[in-house]
Amino acid sequence: LQDADHDYRDGKWHHAVVIKNGSRGELWIDGRLKDSNDNLKEVKNTAPLLVGYSNSSDDHQKKHWSGRIDELPILNRALGRRDIAKLFAERN
């Protein structure tokens, strides 16, 4: 999932939500659906979850998050459109 149409490195706060529900995935940024896919594959991994850092051996893939991450909730259920709109409104 990606939003290749916008560069978010603008010094402003952005609200990002990624949802995976079965094989469906959605990317929401600032309360708007930016991308979706109905054919996401299941990823099984025993390695630690890295946020803001890629541990790839390929230097092109190895990247660090340049901003700040304020909150990172991981839920055991997929959020709906109303849930996402409410979360975005609460943080603005």
Side-chain angles (χ1 to χ4, degrees):
L1 298 170
Q2 64 180 346
D3 180 8
D5 296 331
H6 188 86
D7 184 352
Y8 293 96
R9 296 173 296 177
D10 56 9
K12 297 179 184 176
W13 181 91
H14 294 282
H15 182 253
V17 175
V18 176
I19 296 172
K20 183 175 184 308
N21 189 9
S23 63
R24 177 152 180 86
E26 296 179 350
L27 171 64
W28 293 76
I29 299 179
D30 295 336
R32 294 187 177 145
L33 180 63
K34 294 295 186 170
D35 192 16
S36 65
N37 187 318
D38 288 320
N39 195 27
L40 290 182
K41 305 297 182 206
E42 183 175 348
V43 175
K44 292 185 180 183
N45 187 358
T46 58
L49 174 65
L50 302 175
V51 177
Y53 174 74
S54 169
N55 200 23
S56 173
S57 60
D58 178 358
D59 284 340
H60 177 72
Q61 296 284 335
K62 191 174 276 194
K63 297 182 180 181
H64 295 80
W65 183 261
S66 62
R68 294 183 179 152
I69 298 173
D70 183 34
E71 296 177 27
L72 183 67
I74 298 175
L75 307 175
N76 63 354
R77 66 178 180 87
L79 299 176
R81 186 178 299 265
R82 288 183 183 167
D83 297 320
I84 295 166
K86 181 179 176 186
L87 286 172
F88 179 64
E90 289 173 354
R91 281 146 180 83
N92 281 315

